Amino acid sequence: MKILSALAGISLMIATAGSATAQRLKLIEGSLDAIQSETSLNFDFSYDNMSVGKFDKEADYVAKKTAEYNNKEDGRGDRWAKAWVDDRKDKFEPKFIELFTEYSEKSQSRNAKYTLIFKTTFTEPGFNVGVMRKNAVIDGEVWIVETANPSNIIAKISVEKALGRTFGGYDFDTGGRIMEAYADAGKALGKFVKK
């Protein structure tokens, strides 16, 4: 009995370690020196050319999921497709900004000298069907630009494997899982900028 308990504990640790891979941030161009003395930043988000799961084009993923849900229940897919887009402004962006401002100690201001643009390049929505689950993951690129002249790019930072996971695994909603990936990205990027 003790051996079985020990083996179960080891299996759980291995499974947890595999799913808790830390995200990677890397300054790929420019310098963050210009924003160090700034107390606020403006924020913008882009989802252009984003791939989703195994789909190279987001539109293909949305079309497939919409059709699947509509086949199960009339109108369900259409509601899901609307939430897929609405969650960006309602959940993802506010959560990213909340965690970024907390950890960078920079406030949000439309009048800030610099704008942080988070360009999501990949989204893995994950799933939770009770007995099995997969974390959401996002990848992206952050551009710090001059607000008055967005073509003046101050810095670019790559963001890889920001994980969306919730305590206790009660993340049955796609938007909730992905929101946590944006929270993870915001927190890590806030710390990265503050260094």
Side-chain angles (χ1 to χ4, degrees):
M1 186 69 163
K2 288 182 182 179
I3 293 172
L4 284 176
S5 293
L7 288 174
I10 291 168
S11 296
L12 181 61
M13 287 189 302
I14 290 169
T16 304
S19 66
T21 344
Q23 68 176 298
R24 294 184 297 253
L25 300 174
K26 183 180 179 185
L27 182 66
I28 54 175
E29 184 181 308
S31 167
L32 296 174
D33 292 346
I35 65 167
Q36 294 309 315
S37 59
E38 298 297 316
T39 58
S40 64
L41 289 172
N42 181 33
F43 293 88
D44 198 4
F45 295 83
S46 169
Y47 306 89
D48 298 339
N49 304 314
M50 176 178 71
S51 59
V52 180
K54 63 182 180 180
F55 294 87
D56 290 336
K57 295 180 180 175
E58 176 193 13
D60 294 339
Y61 171 77
V62 172
K64 179 179 184 285
K65 295 301 280 186
T66 301
E68 284 177 0
Y69 285 137
N70 278 337
N71 284 338
K72 291 180 182 179
E73 177 189 324
D74 194 37
R76 181 179 173 197
D78 299 323
R79 291 188 300 275
W80 175 88
K82 183 177 183 324
W84 175 261
V85 174
D86 290 350
D87 283 348
R88 295 170 182 178
K89 296 270 185 228
D90 297 343
K91 295 179 179 179
F92 310 160
E93 295 168 17
K95 188 53 94 170
F96 175 90
I97 293 168
E98 175 192 336
L99 274 290
F100 178 86
T101 56
E102 178 182 338
Y103 284 90
S104 69
E105 297 180 358
K106 294 185 187 301
S107 62
Q108 176 186 15
S109 172
R110 287 273 173 211
N111 301 318
K113 184 176 181 180
Y114 298 103
T115 296
L116 183 156
I117 306 171
F118 191 99
K119 298 175 177 252
T120 305
T121 56
F122 170 75
T123 297
E124 167 51 61
F127 61 85
N128 188 340
V129 292
V131 293
M132 288 180 59
R133 63 180 311 279
K134 180 178 183 178
N135 289 331
V137 177
I138 60 169
D139 293 340
E141 195 167 275
V142 173
W143 289 19
I144 309 288
V145 301
E146 193 176 344
T147 303
N149 179 17
S151 62
N152 183 14
I153 301 166
I154 307 302
K156 290 183 182 180
I157 303 163
S158 66
V159 178
E160 294 180 4
K161 296 185 180 175
L163 287 177
R165 55 197 183 272
T166 58
F167 179 75
Y170 296 106
D171 54 357
F172 297 101
D173 174 56
T174 303
R177 283 191 305 275
I178 298 172
M179 179 182 73
E180 291 305 317
Y182 281 90
D184 190 36
K187 178 179 178 179
L189 192 64
K191 289 179 176 180
F192 188 79
V193 164
K194 190 180 175 185
K195 281 197 244 184

